Amino acid sequence: MDTIGLGITVLSLGIWIGLLGFRGQFWRADQRLVIEKFPTRSVGEGESLPSVCAVIPARNEAELLPTTLRSLLAQDYAGCLKVIVVDDQSTDQTCTIAQALAQESNESSERFQLEVLSGQELPPGWTGKLWALEQGICHGQQQTPAPDYFLFTDADIEHDPANLRQLVTKAEMENLDLVSLMVLLRCQDFWERLLIPAFVFFFQKLYPFAWVNNPTKSTAAAAGGCILIRHQALNRIGGIEVVRQALIDDCALAQAVKSSRLLAEVGNREQGTGNSGQELTQSDAARSWGFPAGATASRTLSEKYFCNRSSNQSRSSSGSLSGLGGIWLGLSQSTRSLRPYPSLASIWNMIARTAFTQLEYSPWLLVGTVMAMTLIYLVPPIGLIVSILTGHWLNAIASFVTWLLMALAYLPTLRLYQCSPLLAFCLPGIGLLYTLMTIDSAWRHWQGRGGAWKGRVYSVEG
């Protein structure tokens, strides 16, 4: 038994060495959009800055809108900004407050305009947020001229005055199709300080930002609270409709944009072939997005791409893919979410809403996740305590070193959130809570209560 215990502990230690050394340095939390890097203007004085249309889905956000909308309208961006708030069937004063802010803003600014749309009834096959985005996008595309970029942002996000300028400059300087920020989540109350930094840490571990930002890696992710996407890129993938049923819509959108490079490559190969080439291309695309070859989402995306490819013919025929499908995801220290999570229940519900979705609703992946979380997070402290009590000092040393590596990995994220470094040693207990939340997410799904959000429960496409 002693040998087995030591073997399990060494395995946990090996996993942490692998995570720290070979998983994109995710734990460093160093992918940042730094204000000082960017000039006040990103193009020459004789050129016009790209126009931006911001779309904000809002459902029962009356409390936060006065602060968040004003922050967006106070940007120091020198280009044109059109803000569209889509009231998603709110039952509070969201629409009234947004309309009052629109009147106030439009009277005081000619360059930044705010418009409020009353959202239509949610049709089958859509989630509420994406249906609201779709309505805002369609309205924004009617602008003359059409916007160069769309900014998708949530109604709870308070933007730093330089945020839009930084996002556009990043996209223009590096020729990116999508730039996204994981905003600073609220971290004030006890449960927020205990659990919210870990949420960011786990997200970075799942989607190492350095890999997301590397065009040669297939990893793709975005943070839905703040996404700037090039209008041409959105059209190229077929619009927001291609991810209309995704509960984790931000990562699905990023995957679609990044995968468009593969579509362009196989599209170039298909130009000299017949129909069978196109069939092969769509099958390859499905696999690249992580869907079965016949899955609706992947099929829709590949078909939409081919329908829209004529508008990009000159780009793909030239064989130049520079910047095509390029995405970037980073952390913000100044743009923040104001949404409170003051209790364990509120954070629990946030995680349980989509955790099982991340596991593709697979019982086997759930079992594997529970085993992995136990091995990675619970074995070191349990092993340390048991080894000290039984006098197995070699096992105790291995357990302590593993726990120490875990704590050191968590420190950069805690510094980002200005939390006590002592919380780093609480990561095993935090990991246990997140594991229980994931199990509860699966249980809710099996009971038909998965994906519940603001009075709606979204079913999974079969």
Side-chain angles (χ1 to χ4, degrees):
M1 288 297 294
D2 296 342
T3 303
I4 294 175
L6 179 60
I8 294 174
T9 301
V10 170
L11 178 58
S12 181
L13 175 60
I15 290 174
W16 273 107
I17 292 173
L19 287 173
L20 268 65
F22 306 100
R23 188 145 181 90
Q25 302 286 295
F26 76 92
W27 54 275
R28 295 168 61 93
D30 60 352
Q31 300 293 306
R32 310 282 181 91
L33 201 57
V34 182
I35 295 175
E36 288 76 13
K37 282 187 176 181
F38 300 97
T40 301
R41 295 183 63 83
S42 58
V43 297
E45 290 295 330
E47 303 176 41
S48 61
L49 288 164
S51 58
V52 180
C53 177
V55 181
I56 306 175
R59 181 175 171 84
N60 297 335
E61 300 285 5
E63 183 178 351
L64 300 178
L65 270 182
T67 301
T68 57
L69 266 183
R70 285 194 175 97
S71 74
L72 192 55
L73 295 168
Q75 294 295 295
D76 65 7
Y77 185 60
C80 291
L81 171 64
K82 171 88 170 185
V83 180
I84 300 174
V85 176
V86 182
D87 175 35
D88 183 20
Q89 311 261 306
S90 297
T91 56
D92 63 1
Q93 296 299 308
T94 292
C95 187
T96 303
I97 290 173
Q99 288 173 342
L101 289 169
Q103 183 176 356
E104 172 190 315
S105 171
N106 296 341
E107 289 175 353
S108 60
S109 174
E110 294 182 359
R111 195 162 46 85
F112 292 179
Q113 294 292 304
L114 171 60
E115 188 171 356
V116 182
L117 301 182
S118 294
Q120 300 175 10
E121 191 72 26
L122 182 66
W126 287 83
T127 61
K129 177 181 177 179
L130 291 180
W131 175 236
L133 281 177
E134 170 72 4
Q135 294 172 79
I137 291 167
C138 291
H139 190 77
Q141 287 175 331
Q142 297 173 11
Q143 292 179 224
T144 305
D148 298 301
Y149 290 93
F150 280 100
L151 174 67
F152 302 149
T153 184
D154 290 343
D156 62 293
I157 305 301
E158 183 181 20
H159 295 264
D160 181 271
N163 190 46
L164 182 58
R165 169 168 55 87
Q166 293 177 34
L167 292 168
V168 173
T169 304
K170 180 75 173 179
E172 291 290 294
M173 288 175 62
E174 301 184 19
N175 195 23
L176 299 169
D177 279 342
L178 184 149
V179 179
S180 179
L181 279 180
M182 173 161 276
V183 303
L184 206 64
L185 303 179
R186 205 185 92 136
C187 192
Q188 298 176 8
D189 298 324
F190 170 78
W191 287 108
E192 290 173 336
R193 299 182 77 82
L194 181 66
L195 296 176
I196 290 300
F199 172 81
V200 178
F201 178 80
F202 293 144
F203 186 84
Q204 291 177 97
K205 187 176 71 171
L206 188 62
Y207 302 103
F209 287 11
W211 288 3
V212 170
N213 301 339
N214 186 341
T216 67
K217 296 280 189 180
S218 61
T219 306
C226 185
I227 296 177
L228 182 79
I229 184 169
R230 203 179 292 268
H231 191 177
Q232 290 180 344
L234 187 62
N235 286 340
R236 185 173 66 243
I237 66 171
I240 205 74
E241 179 186 356
V242 298
V243 294
R244 65 187 183 276
Q245 284 193 316
L247 288 181
I248 310 178
D249 50 85
D250 42 15
C251 293
L253 178 63
Q255 185 66 67
V257 172
K258 196 169 189 180
S259 295
S260 63
R261 172 182 287 270
L262 172 63
L263 282 172
E265 289 172 345
V266 294
N268 285 341
R269 296 200 306 268
E270 179 263 332
Q271 282 181 350
T273 67
N275 291 336
S276 61
Q278 181 161 326
E279 292 169 2
L280 175 62
T281 296
Q282 294 189 18
S283 178
D284 289 344
R287 287 191 293 271
S288 77
W289 299 316
F291 296 109
T296 301
S298 62
R299 184 171 64 249
T300 301
L301 180 48
S302 56
E303 289 171 352
K304 287 280 188 179
Y305 172 81
F306 287 111
C307 289
N308 290 318
R309 214 180 75 199
S310 60
S311 64
N312 302 290
Q313 194 68 30
S314 60
R315 190 175 185 181
S316 62
S317 63
S318 67
S320 174
L321 300 176
S322 176
L324 179 64
I327 67 175
W328 187 89
L329 171 62
L331 297 160
S332 176
Q333 294 174 276
S334 53
T335 295
R336 63 188 63 242
S337 170
L338 301 183
R339 191 175 306 286
Y341 293 99
S343 65
L344 175 60
S346 59
I347 299 176
W348 191 292
N349 288 331
M350 175 188 69
I351 302 302
R353 184 171 68 93
T354 58
F356 197 44
T357 304
Q358 190 67 59
L359 300 179
E360 301 175 3
Y361 308 104
S362 167
W364 297 112
L365 286 178
L366 176 64
V367 171
T369 297
V370 171
M371 293 176 63
M373 291 290 285
T374 300
L375 179 62
I376 294 171
Y377 293 101
L378 297 184
V379 163
I382 293 175
L384 178 61
I385 295 171
V386 172
S387 297
I388 291 176
L389 292 176
T390 57
H392 295 101
W393 300 111
L394 182 59
N395 198 354
I397 292 171
S399 298
F400 176 74
V401 171
T402 306
W403 196 355
L404 183 62
L405 287 179
M406 184 193 315
L408 291 174
Y410 192 30
L411 279 176
T413 302
L414 288 175
R415 282 198 294 268
L416 174 67
Y417 277 85
Q418 299 180 351
C419 291
S420 169
L422 295 178
L423 286 174
F425 290 97
C426 297
L427 194 54
I430 296 169
L432 174 61
L433 284 174
Y434 272 85
T435 302
L436 295 175
M437 294 175 199
T438 303
I439 295 172
D440 185 47
S441 178
W443 180 250
R444 294 184 187 195
H445 169 74
W446 293 326
Q447 288 187 319
R449 299 185 294 118
W453 177 246
K454 293 194 174 183
R456 291 171 174 156
V457 176
Y458 301 107
S459 60
V460 184
E461 183 184 31

